[in-house]
């Protein structure tokens, strides 16, 4: 049986080519994902580990939990802790570390790097071992900085140049006194690092006389663990925590692995979709191969082969095909992993240098996935072939499905579909995350049900295309009959395309609807002409609001200032606003009371009020950040949304209780509304700072739309693999169908059907099958998009369903294009069949 199986693989290698390609693409996606994520993770971990080489023990403040009316806070790390650390017997030296956001502008005035990776810090003394200087000297005073070598190389800045930068809003113009090397992972990934002298860094980052961390180096012969024990004994208990350098490196490596696992899982999901689509091709291929060899298998049964041996022979063929495809997919996956690294680099997402990691796990996963998927998909056709009695098989090349099997299939499909629809509809009545799992389950059940019912659905849907096919005469009529001749084969071919289009359409519906809801939210919640914030979301200095207040044309503004508090034993965040102007800058629906924010009168959103049982006139005691308490009164309740919600307090009431007042954003209204002149005046007032965003409502919506569009395009690109596999399935089915119908095509040619008509017949058959899959996919996608929108609407009040008719028409057109392209080779092959040889074929 083994020799027979291998001989069959070699005899049908051309017909198995598309199956090999489909499995190879899926395996390449899986192995490419693993190679890419493992390589990036390894490079980041190596870079991170180098950064901890100078640390034996790190001291940091321990977070103080909230208790009673006192909010939780992080205590300061004063210079006295540094002095106490250096006095420990096992300590050779200690360095006080200060960190903060620092945005550097390039020579054209643009922000360098992404906001999250543009960092600043302190240079310790005149010779900091963390940052060896390559040229220049240490900074002295507020007007001098150091920059990292990679930033100097990218921007062309050097010693003596003046740079423009910002830490919290106002523009600074220090001079570069030196350039240093660093193993910092953010810098290696395309970020920047600017260093000030310690006093300047503490002042700029709002930490005068304190540190974010203290790094202690051990004396020779003293282990990290021993030094940690000495420091724990010397420091006050409960206020500070210590970690060894090894522990920090391990924690950082674990964090990197966790952050990469999300990307890995996301990519593997799409690889799984491609492989799932590929199973339809494999099952179709082996079903048709088995059908063509029915007499051969029957003869084997007649001469003594058991059912198990026949099934095993088919599985051996599948094993060989899967193994070949897996090896080829692994090789292609290594190339994909390397290509993804280059692509990310070319798009500006610089990654640390490191080797390409092809782990044993990646190799094993590629081989197991390729072989397992192929054998599972081929098992059912092999089992079905083994069940046919030898005598019946010898009398009929094609064993037709029994009425009982069709009734069972349709009943099962109807039950799955009904259950799926019921669960999805039930999930739409739930709130937020509670409905996600049921909706996912319902979607899976419905897709399975529709797949099972596809043979039944194919007849009426393809029959609906009959009037259009009649335009093409006899070729159109034959194409329609061929499409419904074997409903199971048509269903399996169309289902591959259906799955890809279901996901694409569903995501498009959700993205368009979300964008519309965000547009409505921005226009309905904000009356301000502009919202000013830092480019990376960091807090703004109060100076920004003061400078904007003096800008030409500004008629009203309000800084938005956040602070934790304790109310009724719970932590609640207060939003400080300008009580005199906030009403003119927002357009929030007041559910009860009035929108008065002044003195001890506050307003709260409906959800917060409901959670605490507050109404207009309710009194509450708030515990501020500084530990002081105050009695506040609810003046009104408003309808919150994802842009504005929470407890609003007048800044005049809140700010005296804050140790370091900062603003998350500033709302601004101008005399001329939104105009180029008004925006230019605001930019000029802030010194044309590249680290600050000045956005109107349209800019806010466009920024969010850009994120949606980028995400949607990425998902389109990932799902393109599934569509490509589906195209291979259509080609494979048509090519094998042409071979199977060689005698029939020969007879048609003999009675007068010319080559052009044969080509047209095959193309129309492919077009009908592809459009059938497209219609099912778009229909399911719209249903899932609507259902997901209903679920999101429970937490997003402005949600509104938007059907992207234009894009759906494009998707349907692409289905037609897929059908036409997939038929090119099979149609040409059918037209070139020799008439006499085809008639004699069995």
């Amino acid at each position: 049986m083994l020799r027979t199986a291998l001989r069959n693989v070699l005899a049908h290698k051309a017909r198995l080519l598309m199956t090999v390609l489909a499995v190879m693409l899926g395996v390449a996606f899986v192995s490419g994902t693993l190679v890419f994520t493992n390589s990036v993770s390894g490079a980041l971990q190596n870079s991170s580990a180098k950064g901890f080489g100078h640390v034996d023990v790190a001291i940091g403040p321990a977070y103080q939990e909230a208790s009673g009316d006192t909010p939780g806070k992080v205590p300061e790390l004063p210079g006295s802790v540094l002095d106490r650390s250096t006095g420990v017997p096992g300590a050779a030296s200690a360095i006080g570390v200060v960190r903060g956001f620092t945005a550097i502008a390039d020579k054209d005035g643009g922000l360098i790097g992404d906001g999250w990776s543009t960092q600043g810090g302190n240079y310790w003394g005149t010779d900091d071992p963390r940052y060896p200087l390559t040229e220049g000297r240490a900074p002295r005073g507020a007007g001098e900085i150091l920059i990292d070598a990679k930033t100097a190389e990218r921007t062309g800045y050097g010693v003596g140049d003046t740079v423009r930068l910002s830490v919290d809003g106002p523009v600074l113009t220090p001079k570069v006194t030196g350039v240093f090397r660093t193993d910092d992972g953010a810098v290696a990934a395309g970020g920047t690092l600017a260093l000030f002298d310690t006093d300047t860094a503490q002042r700029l980052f709002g930490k005068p006389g304190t540190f974010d961390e203290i790094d202690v180096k051990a004396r020779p012969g003293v282990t990290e663990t021993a030094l940690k024990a000495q420091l724990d004994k010397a420091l006050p208990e409960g206020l500070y925590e210590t970690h060894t350098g090894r522990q920090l490196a391990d924690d950082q490596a674990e964090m990197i692995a966790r952050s990469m696992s999300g990307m890995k899982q996301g990519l593997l999901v799409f690889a799984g979709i491609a492989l799932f689509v590929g199973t339809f091709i494999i099952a179709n291929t082996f079903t048709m191969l088995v059908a063509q060899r029915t007499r051969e298998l029957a003869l084997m049964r007649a001469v003594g082969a058991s059912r198990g041996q026949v099934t095993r022979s088919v599985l051996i063929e599948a094993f060989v095909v899967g193994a070949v495809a897996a090896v080829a997919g692994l090789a292609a996956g290594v190339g994909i992993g390397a290509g993804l690294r280059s692509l990310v680099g070319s798009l500006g997402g610089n990654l640390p240098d490191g080797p390409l990691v092809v782990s044993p796990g990646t190799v094993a996963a590629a081989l197991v996935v390729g072989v397992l998927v192929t054998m599972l998909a081929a098992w059912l056709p092999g089992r079905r072939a083994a069940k046919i009695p030898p005598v019946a098989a010898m009398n009929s090349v094609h064993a037709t499905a029994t009425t009982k099997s069709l009734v069972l299939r349709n009943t099962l499909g109807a039950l799955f579909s009904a259950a799926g629809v019921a669960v999805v509809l039930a999930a739409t009545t739930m709130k937020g995350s509670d409905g996600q799992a049921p909706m996912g389950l319902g979607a899976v059940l419905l897709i399975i049900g529709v797949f099972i019912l596809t043979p039944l659905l194919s007849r009426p849907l393809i029959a609906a295309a009959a009037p259009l096919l009649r335009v093409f005469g006899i070729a159109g009529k034959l194409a329609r009959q061929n499409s419904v001749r074997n409903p199971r084969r048509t269903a399996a071919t169309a289902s591959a395309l259906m799955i890809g289009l279901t996901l694409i359409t569903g995501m498009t519906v959700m993205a368009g609807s979300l964008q519309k809801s965000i547009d409505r939210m921005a226009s309905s919640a904000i009356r301000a002409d502009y919202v000013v914030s830092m480019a990376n979301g960091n807090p703004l200095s109060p100076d920004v609001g003061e400078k904007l207040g003096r800008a030409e044309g500004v008629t009203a503004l309000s800084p938005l200032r956040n602070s934790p508090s304790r109310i009724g034993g719970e932590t609640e965040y207060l939003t400080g606003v300008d009580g005199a102007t906030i009403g003119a800058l927002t357009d929030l629906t007041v559910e009860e009371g009035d929108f008065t924010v002044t003195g001890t009168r506050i307003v709260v959103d409906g959800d917060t009020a409901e959670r605490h049982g507050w109404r207009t006139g309710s009194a509450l005691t708030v515990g501020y950040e500084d530990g002081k308490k105050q009695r506040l009164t609810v003046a009104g309740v408003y309808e919150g949304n994802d842009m504005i919600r929470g407890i609003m307090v007048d800044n005049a009431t809140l700010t005296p209780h804050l140790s370091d007042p900062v603003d998350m954003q500033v709302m601004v209204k101008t005399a001329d509304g939104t105009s180029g002149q008004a925006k230019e005046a605001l930019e000029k007032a802030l010194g044309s700072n590249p680290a600050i965003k000045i956005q109107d409502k349209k800019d806010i919506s466009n920024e969010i739309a850009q994120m949606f569009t980028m995400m949607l395009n990425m998902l389109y690109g990932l799902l393109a693999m599934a569509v490509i596999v589906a195209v291979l399935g259509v080609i494979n089915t048509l090519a094998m169908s042409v071979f199977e119908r060689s005698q029939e095509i020969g007879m048609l040619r003999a009675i007068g059907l010319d080559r052009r008509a044969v080509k047209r017949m095959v193309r129309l058959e492919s077009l009908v099958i592809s459009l059938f899959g497209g219609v099912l996919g778009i229909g399911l996608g719209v249903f899932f998009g609507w259902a997901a929108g209903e679920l999101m609407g429970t937490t997003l009040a402005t949600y509104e369903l938007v059907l992207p008719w234009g894009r759906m028409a494009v998707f349907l057109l692409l289905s037609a294009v897929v059908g036409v392209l997939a038929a090119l080779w099979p149609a040409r092959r059918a037209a070139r069949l020799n008439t006499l040889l085809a008639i004699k074929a069995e």
Side-chain angles (χ1 to χ4, degrees):
M1 296 301 293
L2 176 62
R3 287 197 299 271
T4 302
L6 294 175
R7 203 160 39 238
N8 282 326
V9 171
L10 295 174
H12 302 109
K13 53 183 179 291
R15 298 179 218 174
L16 291 168
L17 177 62
M18 294 299 172
T19 299
V20 171
L21 285 174
V23 179
M24 185 195 79
L25 287 174
V27 171
F29 207 157
V30 171
S31 53
T33 296
L34 295 175
V35 168
F36 171 67
T37 53
N38 289 343
S39 299
V40 172
S41 180
L44 288 172
Q45 288 176 14
N46 290 337
S47 176
S48 172
K50 290 178 183 177
F52 293 113
H54 65 279
V55 184
D56 286 325
V57 178
I59 305 170
Y63 179 75
Q64 304 297 300
E65 297 290 342
S67 62
D69 293 325
T70 305
K73 64 178 182 178
V74 178
E76 294 180 339
L77 196 60
S80 59
V81 176
L82 176 67
D83 296 336
R84 190 174 295 187
S85 302
T86 53
V88 167
S93 61
I95 294 174
V97 179
V98 185
R99 303 188 188 96
F101 168 71
T102 303
I104 303 178
D106 59 24
K107 291 187 175 181
D108 296 325
L111 179 65
I112 305 171
D114 297 318
W116 64 270
S117 60
T118 52
Q119 298 298 309
N122 67 312
Y123 190 82
W124 190 253
T126 58
D127 186 18
D128 194 327
R130 300 172 299 167
Y131 307 113
L133 293 174
T134 58
E135 57 179 304
R137 59 169 176 81
R140 303 168 191 156
E144 298 181 349
I145 63 163
L146 303 178
I147 59 173
D148 66 270
K150 285 187 178 291
T151 298
E153 182 182 345
R154 288 200 306 269
T155 61
Y157 285 133
V159 174
D161 288 338
T162 298
V163 300
R164 296 176 69 250
L165 59 82
S166 171
V167 297
D168 59 1
V171 175
L172 306 173
T173 54
K175 182 181 290 186
V176 177
T177 63
V179 178
F180 62 91
R181 294 195 316 272
T182 178
D183 293 316
D184 188 288
V187 173
T192 63
L193 180 59
L195 300 179
F196 308 86
D197 69 83
T198 300
D199 290 340
T200 301
Q202 289 175 324
R203 179 177 57 80
L204 289 176
F205 300 139
K207 304 159 186 173
T210 64
F211 302 97
D212 293 298
E213 182 179 291
I214 294 172
D215 293 341
V216 185
K217 192 73 176 171
R219 292 182 182 278
V222 179
T223 65
E224 291 184 348
T225 306
L227 178 59
K228 181 180 184 301
Q230 292 178 12
L231 289 168
D232 287 338
K233 187 176 180 180
L235 297 174
E237 187 177 354
L239 289 179
Y240 310 105
E241 53 188 17
T242 58
H243 301 279
T244 65
R246 169 51 54 193
Q247 184 181 352
L248 289 173
D250 290 344
D251 290 345
Q252 184 79 355
E254 184 180 347
M255 185 183 72
I256 291 170
R258 279 201 309 268
S259 65
M260 291 301 298
S261 69
M263 180 192 297
K264 182 187 294 187
Q265 288 171 7
L267 291 172
L268 287 176
V269 165
F270 289 96
I273 292 170
L275 282 166
F276 181 63
V277 171
T279 59
F280 294 110
I281 300 178
I282 301 165
N284 249 2
T285 302
F286 279 93
T287 297
M288 297 173 76
L289 284 175
V290 166
Q292 292 165 13
R293 288 161 38 207
T294 305
R295 290 188 178 179
E296 173 192 329
L297 294 174
L299 184 59
M300 291 170 60
R301 289 287 312 282
V303 297
S306 66
R307 286 187 179 184
Q309 286 177 308
V310 171
T311 303
R312 282 195 294 274
S313 71
V314 175
L315 290 178
I316 290 169
E317 295 177 37
F319 175 84
V320 174
V321 170
V324 171
V327 171
L330 176 61
V334 174
I336 288 175
L340 281 174
R341 280 188 59 168
S342 300
L343 178 62
V344 171
S346 66
L347 293 175
N350 295 325
L351 298 171
D353 295 331
L356 206 62
V357 178
V358 185
S359 66
T362 300
V363 176
L367 296 175
V368 169
V369 166
V371 172
L372 198 61
V373 167
T374 309
M375 293 183 69
L376 284 175
W379 174 75
L380 194 58
R383 183 171 174 272
R384 193 182 298 133
K387 289 175 67 176
I388 301 173
V391 176
M394 288 181 180
N395 291 332
S396 175
V397 174
H398 303 290
T400 59
T402 63
T403 304
K404 180 181 177 182
S405 69
L406 291 175
V407 170
L408 179 63
R409 177 174 182 140
N410 294 337
T411 303
L412 194 62
L415 290 174
F416 267 97
S417 299
V421 171
V423 174
V424 169
L425 292 178
T428 60
T429 63
M430 300 178 184
K431 189 169 183 179
S433 59
D434 293 341
Q436 291 178 2
M439 185 163 289
L441 174 63
V444 171
L445 290 173
L446 181 54
I447 288 176
I448 292 172
V450 171
F451 168 65
I452 296 172
L453 284 176
T454 309
L456 179 66
L457 297 172
S458 64
R459 289 187 178 276
L461 289 178
I462 291 175
L468 292 175
L469 293 174
R470 288 197 194 101
V471 175
F472 298 96
I474 190 66
K477 182 178 179 180
L478 290 170
R480 184 181 66 80
Q481 292 175 347
N482 289 335
S483 300
V484 296
R485 177 186 295 182
N486 193 326
R488 290 188 177 185
R489 184 185 303 166
T490 298
T493 306
S495 294
L497 192 59
M498 176 193 79
I499 290 170
L501 283 177
T502 295
L503 296 171
I504 290 172
T505 305
M507 289 186 302
T508 304
V509 170
M510 284 191 291
S513 301
L514 277 172
Q515 181 56 46
K516 182 66 178 288
S517 69
I518 288 162
D519 288 344
R520 288 180 61 192
M521 186 189 301
S523 61
S524 64
I526 300 174
R527 282 183 188 164
D529 295 316
Y530 294 100
V531 176
V532 180
S533 61
M534 292 294 283
N536 70 333
N538 268 28
L540 289 161
S541 165
D543 292 348
V544 172
E546 295 172 7
K547 290 183 178 181
L548 289 171
R550 296 192 293 268
E552 182 182 351
V554 173
T555 58
L557 66 78
S558 173
L560 269 62
R561 193 164 290 173
N562 284 355
S563 172
S565 71
R566 293 287 285 180
I567 301 175
E570 296 182 19
T571 298
E572 291 283 357
Y573 278 83
L574 305 177
T575 300
V577 298
D578 187 322
T581 61
I582 191 64
L585 297 168
T586 57
D587 190 14
L588 299 167
T589 302
V590 179
E591 297 177 342
E592 59 176 278
D594 56 57
F595 204 79
T596 303
V597 187
T598 181
T600 59
R601 291 169 65 80
I602 63 173
V603 294
V604 299
D605 69 279
D607 290 342
T608 303
E610 183 181 351
R611 193 171 69 250
H612 288 280
W614 295 335
R615 298 185 62 82
T616 300
S618 296
L620 54 110
T621 300
V622 59
Y624 291 111
E625 180 185 311
D626 62 356
K628 295 182 180 179
K629 301 176 186 178
Q630 189 174 26
R631 195 77 169 165
L632 303 177
T633 303
V634 177
V637 178
Y638 67 92
E639 183 181 333
N641 56 52
D642 282 357
M643 297 191 74
I644 301 176
R645 64 171 64 242
I647 304 171
M648 291 192 191
V649 185
D650 193 352
N651 273 328
T653 302
L654 177 64
T655 302
H657 299 284
L658 304 182
S659 58
D660 182 26
V662 290
D663 301 324
M664 296 311 298
Q665 58 186 33
V666 181
M667 290 184 173
V668 182
K669 198 167 186 62
T670 63
D672 298 329
T674 54
S675 66
Q677 185 177 356
K679 188 171 183 178
E680 187 177 340
L682 297 179
E683 289 174 345
K684 186 177 179 182
L686 297 175
S688 301
N689 192 332
I692 293 181
K693 295 187 297 186
I694 301 175
Q695 298 175 299
D696 58 20
K697 286 182 280 191
K698 186 177 180 182
D699 293 332
I700 294 171
S701 295
N702 289 342
E703 184 178 52
I704 298 171
Q706 188 176 10
M707 289 189 294
F708 278 130
T709 302
M710 185 184 304
M711 188 181 301
L712 201 59
N713 289 337
M714 286 175 58
L715 295 175
Y716 283 163
L718 293 170
L719 285 172
M721 182 70 74
V723 175
I724 290 171
V725 173
V727 172
L728 292 176
V730 178
I731 295 172
N732 197 43
T733 300
L734 288 173
M736 297 189 71
S737 179
V738 166
F739 178 84
E740 192 177 79
R741 302 200 312 257
S742 295
Q743 188 178 55
E744 176 188 316
I745 293 171
M747 290 296 295
L748 290 171
R749 289 289 314 282
I751 61 176
L753 196 69
D754 60 19
R755 289 187 173 183
R756 289 182 62 187
V758 170
K759 283 184 180 180
R760 190 179 300 120
M761 175 186 71
V762 176
R763 287 171 185 160
L764 289 173
E765 181 181 348
S766 175
L767 183 65
V768 167
I769 293 173
S770 297
L771 286 175
F772 171 51
V775 168
L776 285 181
I778 293 171
L780 281 174
V782 169
F783 176 71
F784 290 139
W786 166 82
E790 288 293 301
L791 187 60
M792 286 188 289
T794 59
T795 55
L796 195 61
T798 56
Y799 184 85
E800 178 185 346
L801 179 67
V802 176
L803 292 180
W805 295 106
R807 290 207 176 191
M808 289 194 294
V810 170
F811 296 156
L812 196 61
L813 181 62
L814 286 175
S815 300
V817 171
V818 164
V820 172
L821 293 178
L824 289 178
W825 177 57
R828 184 167 176 268
R829 183 181 178 191
R832 295 180 64 181
L833 283 175
N834 183 288
T835 304
L836 294 177
L837 292 177
I839 291 173
K840 291 192 295 181
E842 293 190 8

